[in-house]
């Protein structure tokens, strides 16, 4: 399809109102992010909005006659478009802007006027008249007066007009004045609303943003909320970023939170002279943060005087952490070479001169000095990496070490198991030969580390690590709860969710959840959403969840387990925020088994529109899963004479699949 030089008219001939609107948001898991514009802002940012009728076809092109201008001068009475499939006599709305002395279609494009979108077209006409006032205060006043008039006499005005005006005033967008966005931030009732405002400010060009963002970051706001702020500062020139010592104080003040974004910003803006400050943060850093700091400070390719002068006190806990970090990393980076050198600087003996690996391991077994034991392990692992011994001997040596190592040393060694092993026959034999509770736990750590992301259930069944009935996963749960390696535990949590845990394992899974960290619980949460029970609520609520609005897996698990508080949050939010903007309430309502959730679902069914679409979407994604009202509700949809036919057919399909398979239907 060719494009005329003067008019780049293209696309969207059959666009529906939903296609035309720019306010619909759908991003998971953080599904509330500022839209680019509301309908009114789209109209206000368009120079010409014209209603034109297709009157004739000229070759592959259609001749249009302008019948009305919703906004701007009509311009020429006739023009051509490449919309060659426009039927003669059909009406179309053109959204146009002047670019380089040529009138071209805006992003909204060309919309055909059809029966289902006539109200939307009427709204465009009303909005065009108000936008033509070209006065911010006057336009706000006119919009509010139009809203009041539509409420007073709804039959005279297009359906959905009030909703569009409310969305315009309530939805944070980059085009809104700075003062309006700050008012929305101050008035926000939920985490998601505040985050939406910050993303809008992030995308705006308001000069006041720099001062506002600095004040938020330095003022102690939670770091999950500061992601738009950190993103904005990272994308800037650096002039608006606080001093590194200020950022370090903020970082230290947020222990226990996810500080990744803030640490990345610090690293981006650090200079070599800041290495001392960054290194001083190591005692307060978790292992992931230590890795970032070590990579930055020790990873410079050029000579590093600061690093050359570093010494690690042998009895410092940071030294033990750096040893674990070294054992879990690849051996080919500059930081890794320098870290090894740093760990070996105060060696008590030249362990490289020890002739055999057997002598090294025997010395390690006899030693009671943590420093000496770390030095021996460094050398032993170096020889394993360089394949100084055969594969079978390496396997035996690693198991011999893991079987006897205290927790921190075992954590370090399990990193090595990840990189070297994976032979299922050897792993099975190792587990079968293990004796006693402690040794069986360690054998499972070893097996889990070596197996990595591969399918686990067949191997566990083959080695006899799975029991029968309600205690089927007892052995696996004990290994999880005793394992010192975060990497192994996270991997096992994922296996439990995806393949290992069955509905009958609920009591054992409660024990696992009770001992899980927040990161591990996030991986376990989908299983509890599918296999809910009120017994899980206390274990879920004990977790330091930063925000239920931004932790959808945990929110779903709470909702499915029958928590009334998270349902109340969803019901309140649904009353205040349009369905197009935020998906979270519908996700919670669809998962909750409480009677109030069914009542709300029925109200949504009666309401129709986009709210109904969001609820049906959540029902489809979740399926009929241990929820007492899903089947009943879908039957009500199937029997309804007013529900959209597409939704009715979908409900019938899900019901048929459910009854034929006896399981939850796939979405």
């Amino acid at each position: 399809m060719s494009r005329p030089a003067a008019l780049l008219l293209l696309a969207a001939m059959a666009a529906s109102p939903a296609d035309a609107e720019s306010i619909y948001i759908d991003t998971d898991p953080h599904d509330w992010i500022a839209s680019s514009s509301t309908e009114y802002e789209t109209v206000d940012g368009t120079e010409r909005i014209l209603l034109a009728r297709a009157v004739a076809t000229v070759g592959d092109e259609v001749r249009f006659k302008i019948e009305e201008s919703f906004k701007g001068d009509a311009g020429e009475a006739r023009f051509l478009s490449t919309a060659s499939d426009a039927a003669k006599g059909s009406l179309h709305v053109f959204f146009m802007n002047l670019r380089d002395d040529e009138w071209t279609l805006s992003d909204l494009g060309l919309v055909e006027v059809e029966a289902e979108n006539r109200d939307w077209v009427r709204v465009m006409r009303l909005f065009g008249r108000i936008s033509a006032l070209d006065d911010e205060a006057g336009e706000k006043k006119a919009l509010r007066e139009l809203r009041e008039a539509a409420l007073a006499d709804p039959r005279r005005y297009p359906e959905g007009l009030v909703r569009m005006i409310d969305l315009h005033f309530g939805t944070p967008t980059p085009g809104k004045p700075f003062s309006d966005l700050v008012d929305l931030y101050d008035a926000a009732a939920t985490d998601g609303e505040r985050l939406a405002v910050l993303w809008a400010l992030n995308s705006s060009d308001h000069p006041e943003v720099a001062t506002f963002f600095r004040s938020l970051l330095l003022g102690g706001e939670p770091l999950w909320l500061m992601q738009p702020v950190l993103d904005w500062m990272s994308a800037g020139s650096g002039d608006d970023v606080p001093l590194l010592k200020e950022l370090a104080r903020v970082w230290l003040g947020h222990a226990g939170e996810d500080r990744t974004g803030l640490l990345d910003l610090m690293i981006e803006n650090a200079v070599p002279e800041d290495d001392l400050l960054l290194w001083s943060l190591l005692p307060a850093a978790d292992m992931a943060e230590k890795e970032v700091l070590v990579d930055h400070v020790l990873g410079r390719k050029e000579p590093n005087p600061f690093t050359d002068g570093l010494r690690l006190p042998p009895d410092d806990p940071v030294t033990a952490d750096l040893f674990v970090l070294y054992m879990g990393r690849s051996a080919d980076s500059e930081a890794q070479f320098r870290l090894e050198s740093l760990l070996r600087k105060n060696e008590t003996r030249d362990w490289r001169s020890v002739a055999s690996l057997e002598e090294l391991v025997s010395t390690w077994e006899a030693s009671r000095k943590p420093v000496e034991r770390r030095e021996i392990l460094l050398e032993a692992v170096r020889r394993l990496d360089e394949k100084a011994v055969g594969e079978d001997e390496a396997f035996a040596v690693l198991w011999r070490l893991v079987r006897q190592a205290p927790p921190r040393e075992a954590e370090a060694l399990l990193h090595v198991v990840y990189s070297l092993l994976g032979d299922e026959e050897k792993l099975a034999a190792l587990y079968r030969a293990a004796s006693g509770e402690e040794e069986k736990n360690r054998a499972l750590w070893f097996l889990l580390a070596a197996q990595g992301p591969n399918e686990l259930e067949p191997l566990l069944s083959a080695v006899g690590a799975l029991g029968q009935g309600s205690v089927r996963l007892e052995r696996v749960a004990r290994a999880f709860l005793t394992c010192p390696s975060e990497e192994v535990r996270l991997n096992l949590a994922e296996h439990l969710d995806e393949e290992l845990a069955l509905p009958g394992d609920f009591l054992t899974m409660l024990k696992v959840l009770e001992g899980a960290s927040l990161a591990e619980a996030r991986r376990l949460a989908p299983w509890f959403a599918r296999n809910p029970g009120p017994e899980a609520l206390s274990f879920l609520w004990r977790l330091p969840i930063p925000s239920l609005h931004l932790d959808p897996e945990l929110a779903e698990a709470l909702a499915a387990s029958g928590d009334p508080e998270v349902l109340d949050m969803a019901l309140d939010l649904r009353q205040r925020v349009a369905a197009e903007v935020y998906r979270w309430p519908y996700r919670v309502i669809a998962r909750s088994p409480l009677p109030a959730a069914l009542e709300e679902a029925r109200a949504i069914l009666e309401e129709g529109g986009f709210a109904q679409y969001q609820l049906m979407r959540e029902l489809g994604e979740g399926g009929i899963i241990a929820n007492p009202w899903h089947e009943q509700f879908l039957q009500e949809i199937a029997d309804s004479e007013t529900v959209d036919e597409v939704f009715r057919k979908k409900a019938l399909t899900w019901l048929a699949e459910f009854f034929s398979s006896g399981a939850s239907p796939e979405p």
Side-chain angles (χ1 to χ4, degrees):
M1 185 180 289
S2 61
R3 297 185 178 191
L7 289 171
L8 301 179
L9 302 178
L10 180 70
M13 282 300 301
S16 67
D19 294 326
E21 292 173 350
S22 58
I23 59 169
Y24 293 163
I25 311 300
D26 180 21
T27 56
D28 285 324
H30 300 171
D31 64 349
W32 187 329
I33 296 178
S35 58
S36 59
S37 63
T38 62
E39 279 101 333
Y40 182 76
E41 288 171 334
T42 296
V43 170
D44 200 39
T46 305
E47 295 171 71
R48 279 185 182 175
I49 304 176
L50 309 175
L51 182 68
R53 187 178 300 277
V55 295
T57 300
V58 180
D60 292 333
E61 297 177 326
V62 178
R63 186 179 299 277
F64 287 86
K65 180 179 180 180
I66 297 172
E67 295 200 349
E68 183 182 352
S69 172
F70 293 172
K71 181 181 178 184
D73 295 332
E76 298 180 15
R78 296 175 183 273
F79 52 91
L80 296 176
S81 168
T82 55
S84 58
D85 55 346
K88 183 177 180 180
S90 58
L91 280 171
H92 301 262
V93 181
F94 287 79
F95 293 80
M96 305 174 67
N97 285 315
L98 189 63
R99 296 289 182 266
D100 299 324
D101 297 325
E102 292 183 347
W103 285 100
T104 66
L105 285 181
S106 71
D107 291 340
L108 192 54
L110 179 67
V111 183
E112 183 175 1
V113 180
E114 298 178 301
E116 59 266 28
N117 70 353
R118 288 186 184 278
D119 276 340
W120 180 80
V121 174
R122 291 173 63 200
V123 171
M124 296 298 101
R125 178 185 288 113
L126 293 168
F127 282 178
R129 292 170 184 170
I130 293 176
S131 175
L133 296 173
D134 201 21
D135 172 70
E136 185 178 308
E139 292 171 43
K140 288 181 179 179
K141 181 174 182 291
L143 283 170
R144 292 191 172 98
E145 290 174 349
L146 179 61
R147 182 184 185 277
E148 293 304 314
L151 285 174
D153 190 0
R155 290 177 297 180
R156 288 187 54 199
Y157 292 90
E159 183 180 353
L161 174 61
V162 172
R163 178 185 65 82
M164 291 184 190
I165 295 174
D166 288 344
L167 278 176
H168 171 65
F169 285 120
T171 303
T173 57
K176 280 188 169 55
F178 177 78
S179 59
D180 287 1
L181 290 171
V182 172
D183 288 344
L184 287 172
Y185 186 83
D186 292 337
T190 69
D191 302 336
E193 290 172 285
R194 288 198 292 163
L195 191 64
V197 175
L198 296 182
W199 279 117
L201 286 165
N202 173 289
S203 300
S204 73
D205 56 4
H206 300 305
E208 304 96 331
V209 168
T211 301
F212 183 65
F213 275 2
R214 276 182 65 100
S215 68
L216 290 179
L217 183 58
L218 299 179
E221 290 278 32
L223 289 182
W224 62 260
L225 183 62
M226 292 294 95
Q227 188 54 50
V229 174
L230 299 172
D231 179 88
W232 183 86
M233 290 182 174
S234 180
S237 63
D239 295 338
D240 296 315
V241 179
L243 297 174
L244 191 67
K245 62 181 181 181
E246 295 177 315
L247 293 176
R249 279 196 292 269
V250 174
W251 185 86
L252 289 168
H254 287 276
E257 297 182 43
D258 182 356
R259 302 183 288 191
T260 304
L262 180 56
L263 185 57
D264 288 344
L265 182 67
M266 293 165 64
I267 296 296
E268 288 170 10
N269 289 274
V271 295
E273 290 73 24
D274 295 319
D275 283 355
L276 175 59
L277 173 59
L278 293 173
W279 194 259
S280 72
L281 300 178
L282 282 174
D286 63 25
M287 291 300 288
E289 293 166 339
K290 283 183 172 69
E291 183 170 3
V292 173
L293 290 166
V294 166
D295 273 343
H296 178 76
V297 175
L298 301 185
R300 302 185 189 281
K301 296 190 179 300
E302 64 276 8
N304 191 336
F306 172 77
T307 306
D308 294 341
L310 274 177
R311 290 292 186 277
L312 292 176
D315 56 351
D316 192 329
V318 170
T319 303
D321 289 342
L322 294 182
F323 168 74
V324 173
L325 188 64
Y326 171 82
M327 299 285 269
R329 292 149 53 91
S330 64
D332 57 356
S333 71
E334 191 69 33
Q336 184 76 341
F337 290 135
R338 282 182 171 151
L339 180 56
E340 181 183 6
S341 174
L342 196 56
L343 289 167
R344 288 181 178 274
K345 267 187 178 178
N346 300 318
E347 277 197 340
T348 57
R349 178 179 169 185
D350 180 12
W351 299 104
R352 292 176 185 261
S353 65
V354 176
S356 70
L357 188 57
E358 172 60 33
E359 183 180 347
L360 278 174
V361 174
S362 298
T363 306
W364 174 82
E365 290 171 329
S367 175
R368 296 295 178 265
K369 300 176 182 178
V371 176
E372 184 177 64
R373 288 170 64 87
R374 287 200 300 266
E375 293 172 2
I376 295 171
L377 288 178
L378 280 174
E379 176 57 22
V381 170
R382 184 190 69 80
R383 297 188 189 191
L384 293 179
D385 284 342
E386 294 179 355
K387 302 190 184 307
V389 296
E391 189 175 303
D392 290 344
E393 184 178 351
F395 185 99
V397 166
L398 270 176
W399 169 234
R400 181 176 168 185
L401 294 170
V402 169
R403 188 175 55 190
Q404 303 177 74
R408 291 315 304 278
E409 291 179 10
E411 180 184 1
L413 288 164
L414 288 172
H415 285 299
V416 183
V417 176
Y418 261 118
S419 63
L420 291 184
L421 297 173
D423 187 300
E424 293 191 3
E425 290 185 9
K426 292 178 183 177
L427 293 171
L430 179 150
Y431 180 80
R432 293 191 188 103
S435 61
E437 178 76 10
E438 173 69 15
E439 189 165 307
K440 283 187 176 295
N441 281 340
R442 289 176 178 253
L444 273 184
W445 303 349
F446 200 93
L447 182 151
L448 292 165
Q451 190 71 353
N454 299 317
E455 192 175 1
L456 192 59
E457 197 277 339
L459 179 57
L460 292 178
S461 295
V463 301
L466 297 180
Q468 299 293 323
S470 62
V471 297
R472 174 176 165 273
L473 288 180
E474 279 289 333
R475 164 58 55 201
V476 176
R478 288 198 292 273
F480 175 90
L481 294 170
T482 57
C483 185
S485 168
E486 180 183 4
E487 189 173 7
V488 171
R489 287 169 62 104
L490 283 171
N491 188 42
L492 178 53
E494 194 160 325
H495 279 297
L496 286 167
D497 169 44
E498 294 180 353
E499 61 165 311
L500 287 179
L502 304 175
D505 298 317
F506 184 78
L507 293 178
T508 305
M509 287 294 286
L510 282 179
K511 295 178 185 177
V512 172
L513 181 62
E514 183 180 12
S517 67
L518 177 60
E520 292 158 359
R522 284 174 173 145
R523 297 198 182 184
L524 295 168
W527 189 89
F528 284 95
R530 298 191 305 272
N531 303 274
E535 299 86 352
L537 290 176
S538 60
F539 300 130
L540 290 167
W541 276 122
R542 74 171 177 81
L543 297 163
I545 305 171
S547 167
L548 279 176
H549 289 275
L550 302 177
D551 240 319
E553 292 87 0
L554 291 170
E556 288 176 35
L558 284 164
S561 299
D563 184 74
E565 183 177 343
V566 71
L567 179 60
D568 286 343
M569 292 168 60
L571 298 180
D572 174 67
L573 186 61
R574 198 183 94 74
Q575 294 304 314
R576 294 184 297 99
V577 181
E580 294 90 332
V581 179
Y582 202 19
R583 179 181 170 186
W584 187 87
Y586 301 87
R587 183 175 297 175
V588 169
I589 292 166
R591 304 298 184 270
S592 175
L594 298 178
L598 174 58
E599 292 176 16
E600 191 70 10
R602 284 173 171 156
I604 294 169
L605 185 63
E606 183 70 24
E607 179 182 324
F610 206 83
Q612 185 183 85
Y613 165 79
Q614 287 283 40
L615 181 63
M616 288 294 292
R617 174 182 179 180
E618 294 305 326
L619 290 173
E621 290 194 358
I624 305 174
I625 305 171
N627 195 318
W629 59 265
H630 277 192
E631 180 188 337
Q632 175 186 350
F633 183 66
L634 289 177
Q635 190 63 58
E636 291 175 12
I637 294 174
D639 295 340
S640 173
E641 296 181 356
T642 59
V643 174
D644 184 286
E645 185 64 17
V646 173
F647 293 150
R648 200 177 73 83
K649 289 180 179 178
K650 195 175 287 292
L652 284 168
T653 299
W654 290 339
L655 285 170
E657 292 176 354
F658 174 65
F659 290 126
S660 65
S661 66
S664 300
E666 293 297 325

